[in-house]
mmCIF file with all atom_site columns, all heavy atoms in Angstrom:
data_model
loop_
_atom_site.group_PDB
_atom_site.id
_atom_site.type_symbol
_atom_site.label_atom_id
_atom_site.label_alt_id
_atom_site.label_comp_id
_atom_site.label_asym_id
_atom_site.label_entity_id
_atom_site.label_seq_id
_atom_site.pdbx_PDB_ins_code
_atom_site.Cartn_x
_atom_site.Cartn_y
_atom_site.Cartn_z
_atom_site.occupancy
_atom_site.B_iso_or_equiv
_atom_site.pdbx_formal_charge
_atom_site.auth_seq_id
_atom_site.auth_comp_id
_atom_site.auth_asym_id
_atom_site.auth_atom_id
_atom_site.pdbx_PDB_model_num
ATOM 1  N N   . LEU B 1 303 ? -81.562 217.449 196.285 1.00 79.00 ? 454 LEU B N   1
ATOM 2  C CA  . LEU B 1 303 ? -80.676 218.573 196.557 1.00 79.00 ? 454 LEU B CA  1
ATOM 3  C C   . LEU B 1 303 ? -80.713 219.149 198.018 1.00 79.00 ? 454 LEU B C   1
ATOM 4  O O   . LEU B 1 303 ? -79.803 219.790 198.413 1.00 79.00 ? 454 LEU B O   1
ATOM 5  C CB  . LEU B 1 303 ? -81.036 219.729 195.558 1.00 79.00 ? 454 LEU B CB  1
ATOM 6  C CG  . LEU B 1 303 ? -80.748 219.387 194.105 1.00 79.00 ? 454 LEU B CG  1
ATOM 7  C CD1 . LEU B 1 303 ? -81.327 220.426 193.152 1.00 79.00 ? 454 LEU B CD1 1
ATOM 8  C CD2 . LEU B 1 303 ? -79.249 219.332 193.848 1.00 79.00 ? 454 LEU B CD2 1
ATOM 9  N N   . TYR B 1 304 ? -81.743 218.647 198.699 1.00 79.00 ? 455 TYR B N   1
ATOM 10 C CA  . TYR B 1 304 ? -81.875 219.136 200.100 1.00 79.00 ? 455 TYR B CA  1
ATOM 11 C C   . TYR B 1 304 ? -80.799 218.480 200.976 1.00 79.00 ? 455 TYR B C   1
ATOM 12 O O   . TYR B 1 304 ? -80.571 218.861 202.114 1.00 79.00 ? 455 TYR B O   1
ATOM 13 C CB  . TYR B 1 304 ? -83.217 218.764 200.674 1.00 79.00 ? 455 TYR B CB  1
ATOM 14 C CG  . TYR B 1 304 ? -84.375 219.603 200.154 1.00 79.00 ? 455 TYR B CG  1
ATOM 15 C CD1 . TYR B 1 304 ? -85.089 219.223 199.082 1.00 79.00 ? 455 TYR B CD1 1
ATOM 16 C CD2 . TYR B 1 304 ? -84.554 220.885 200.674 1.00 79.00 ? 455 TYR B CD2 1
ATOM 17 C CE1 . TYR B 1 304 ? -86.135 220.030 198.557 1.00 79.00 ? 455 TYR B CE1 1
ATOM 18 C CE2 . TYR B 1 304 ? -85.529 221.643 200.215 1.00 79.00 ? 455 TYR B CE2 1
ATOM 19 C CZ  . TYR B 1 304 ? -86.305 221.272 199.160 1.00 79.00 ? 455 TYR B CZ  1
ATOM 20 O OH  . TYR B 1 304 ? -87.311 222.056 198.627 1.00 79.00 ? 455 TYR B OH  1
ATOM 21 N N   . GLU B 1 305 ? -80.124 217.485 200.389 1.00 75.00 ? 456 GLU B N   1
ATOM 22 C CA  . GLU B 1 305 ? -79.045 216.831 201.150 1.00 75.00 ? 456 GLU B CA  1
ATOM 23 C C   . GLU B 1 305 ? -77.746 217.629 201.176 1.00 75.00 ? 456 GLU B C   1
ATOM 24 O O   . GLU B 1 305 ? -76.899 217.386 202.007 1.00 75.00 ? 456 GLU B O   1
ATOM 25 C CB  . GLU B 1 305 ? -78.811 215.449 200.571 1.00 75.00 ? 456 GLU B CB  1
ATOM 26 C CG  . GLU B 1 305 ? -79.175 214.371 201.546 1.00 75.00 ? 456 GLU B CG  1
ATOM 27 C CD  . GLU B 1 305 ? -78.744 213.008 201.061 1.00 75.00 ? 456 GLU B CD  1
ATOM 28 O OE1 . GLU B 1 305 ? -78.564 212.889 199.841 1.00 75.00 ? 456 GLU B OE1 1
ATOM 29 O OE2 . GLU B 1 305 ? -78.667 212.125 201.924 1.00 75.00 ? 456 GLU B OE2 1
ATOM 30 N N   . LEU B 1 306 ? -77.673 218.582 200.231 1.00 78.00 ? 457 LEU B N   1
ATOM 31 C CA  . LEU B 1 306 ? -76.438 219.362 200.177 1.00 78.00 ? 457 LEU B CA  1
ATOM 32 C C   . LEU B 1 306 ? -76.343 220.253 201.360 1.00 78.00 ? 457 LEU B C   1
ATOM 33 O O   . LEU B 1 306 ? -77.364 220.584 201.971 1.00 78.00 ? 457 LEU B O   1
ATOM 34 C CB  . LEU B 1 306 ? -76.502 220.259 198.915 1.00 78.00 ? 457 LEU B CB  1
ATOM 35 C CG  . LEU B 1 306 ? -76.423 219.557 197.564 1.00 78.00 ? 457 LEU B CG  1
ATOM 36 C CD1 . LEU B 1 306 ? -76.662 220.603 196.467 1.00 78.00 ? 457 LEU B CD1 1
ATOM 37 C CD2 . LEU B 1 306 ? -75.008 218.993 197.358 1.00 78.00 ? 457 LEU B CD2 1
ATOM 38 N N   . PRO B 1 307 ? -75.082 220.664 201.687 1.00 78.00 ? 458 PRO B N   1
ATOM 39 C CA  . PRO B 1 307 ? -74.959 221.593 202.763 1.00 78.00 ? 458 PRO B CA  1
ATOM 40 C C   . PRO B 1 307 ? -75.656 222.949 202.370 1.00 78.00 ? 458 PRO B C   1
ATOM 41 O O   . PRO B 1 307 ? -75.770 223.212 201.194 1.00 78.00 ? 458 PRO B O   1
ATOM 42 C CB  . PRO B 1 307 ? -73.464 221.832 202.951 1.00 78.00 ? 458 PRO B CB  1
ATOM 43 C CG  . PRO B 1 307 ? -72.810 221.098 201.815 1.00 78.00 ? 458 PRO B CG  1
ATOM 44 C CD  . PRO B 1 307 ? -73.797 220.148 201.203 1.00 78.00 ? 458 PRO B CD  1
ATOM 45 N N   . LEU B 1 308 ? -76.087 223.695 203.409 1.00 79.00 ? 459 LEU B N   1
ATOM 46 C CA  . LEU B 1 308 ? -76.928 224.827 203.175 1.00 79.00 ? 459 LEU B CA  1
ATOM 47 C C   . LEU B 1 308 ? -76.393 225.927 202.166 1.00 79.00 ? 459 LEU B C   1
ATOM 48 O O   . LEU B 1 308 ? -77.111 226.394 201.272 1.00 79.00 ? 459 LEU B O   1
ATOM 49 C CB  . LEU B 1 308 ? -77.285 225.526 204.481 1.00 79.00 ? 459 LEU B CB  1
ATOM 50 C CG  . LEU B 1 308 ? -78.577 224.982 205.098 1.00 79.00 ? 459 LEU B CG  1
ATOM 51 C CD1 . LEU B 1 308 ? -78.794 225.646 206.434 1.00 79.00 ? 459 LEU B CD1 1
ATOM 52 C CD2 . LEU B 1 308 ? -79.754 225.113 204.156 1.00 79.00 ? 459 LEU B CD2 1
ATOM 53 N N   . PRO B 1 309 ? -75.053 226.315 202.272 1.00 80.00 ? 460 PRO B N   1
ATOM 54 C CA  . PRO B 1 309 ? -74.552 227.267 201.314 1.00 80.00 ? 460 PRO B CA  1
ATOM 55 C C   . PRO B 1 309 ? -74.698 226.723 199.881 1.00 80.00 ? 460 PRO B C   1
ATOM 56 O O   . PRO B 1 309 ? -75.023 227.447 198.917 1.00 80.00 ? 460 PRO B O   1
ATOM 57 C CB  . PRO B 1 309 ? -73.136 227.449 201.728 1.00 80.00 ? 460 PRO B CB  1
ATOM 58 C CG  . PRO B 1 309 ? -72.988 226.903 203.077 1.00 80.00 ? 460 PRO B CG  1
ATOM 59 C CD  . PRO B 1 309 ? -74.048 225.878 203.227 1.00 80.00 ? 460 PRO B CD  1
ATOM 60 N N   . ALA B 1 310 ? -74.372 225.401 199.717 1.00 83.00 ? 461 ALA B N   1
ATOM 61 C CA  . ALA B 1 310 ? -74.459 224.856 198.379 1.00 83.00 ? 461 ALA B CA  1
ATOM 62 C C   . ALA B 1 310 ? -75.868 224.801 197.878 1.00 83.00 ? 461 ALA B C   1
ATOM 63 O O   . ALA B 1 310 ? -76.180 225.085 196.775 1.00 83.00 ? 461 ALA B O   1
ATOM 64 C CB  . ALA B 1 310 ? -73.885 223.408 198.371 1.00 83.00 ? 461 ALA B CB  1
ATOM 65 N N   . GLN B 1 311 ? -76.834 224.555 198.774 1.00 84.00 ? 462 GLN B N   1
ATOM 66 C CA  . GLN B 1 311 ? -78.290 224.602 198.439 1.00 84.00 ? 462 GLN B CA  1
ATOM 67 C C   . GLN B 1 311 ? -78.661 225.925 197.922 1.00 84.00 ? 462 GLN B C   1
ATOM 68 O O   . GLN B 1 311 ? -79.273 226.086 196.899 1.00 84.00 ? 462 GLN B O   1
ATOM 69 C CB  . GLN B 1 311 ? -79.054 224.296 199.691 1.00 84.00 ? 462 GLN B CB  1
ATOM 70 C CG  . GLN B 1 311 ? -79.413 222.849 199.915 1.00 84.00 ? 462 GLN B CG  1
ATOM 71 C CD  . GLN B 1 311 ? -80.459 222.644 200.969 1.00 84.00 ? 462 GLN B CD  1
ATOM 72 O OE1 . GLN B 1 311 ? -81.424 223.356 201.005 1.00 84.00 ? 462 GLN B OE1 1
ATOM 73 N NE2 . GLN B 1 311 ? -80.195 221.636 201.873 1.00 84.00 ? 462 GLN B NE2 1
ATOM 74 N N   . GLN B 1 312 ? -78.148 226.954 198.653 1.00 84.00 ? 463 GLN B N   1
ATOM 75 C CA  . GLN B 1 312 ? -78.460 228.336 198.279 1.00 84.00 ? 463 GLN B CA  1
ATOM 76 C C   . GLN B 1 312 ? -77.994 228.664 196.809 1.00 84.00 ? 463 GLN B C   1
ATOM 77 O O   . GLN B 1 312 ? -78.688 229.204 196.075 1.00 84.00 ? 463 GLN B O   1
ATOM 78 C CB  . GLN B 1 312 ? -77.754 229.277 199.299 1.00 84.00 ? 463 GLN B CB  1
ATOM 79 C CG  . GLN B 1 312 ? -78.552 230.455 199.694 1.00 84.00 ? 463 GLN B CG  1
ATOM 80 C CD  . GLN B 1 312 ? -80.016 230.057 200.147 1.00 84.00 ? 463 GLN B CD  1
ATOM 81 O OE1 . GLN B 1 312 ? -80.211 229.085 200.880 1.00 84.00 ? 463 GLN B OE1 1
ATOM 82 N NE2 . GLN B 1 312 ? -81.016 230.727 199.663 1.00 84.00 ? 463 GLN B NE2 1
#
Side-chain angles (χ1 to χ4, degrees):
Chain B
L454 291 170
Y455 287 96
E456 245 186 340
L457 292 171
L459 272 178
Q462 272 192 41
Q463 221 48 47

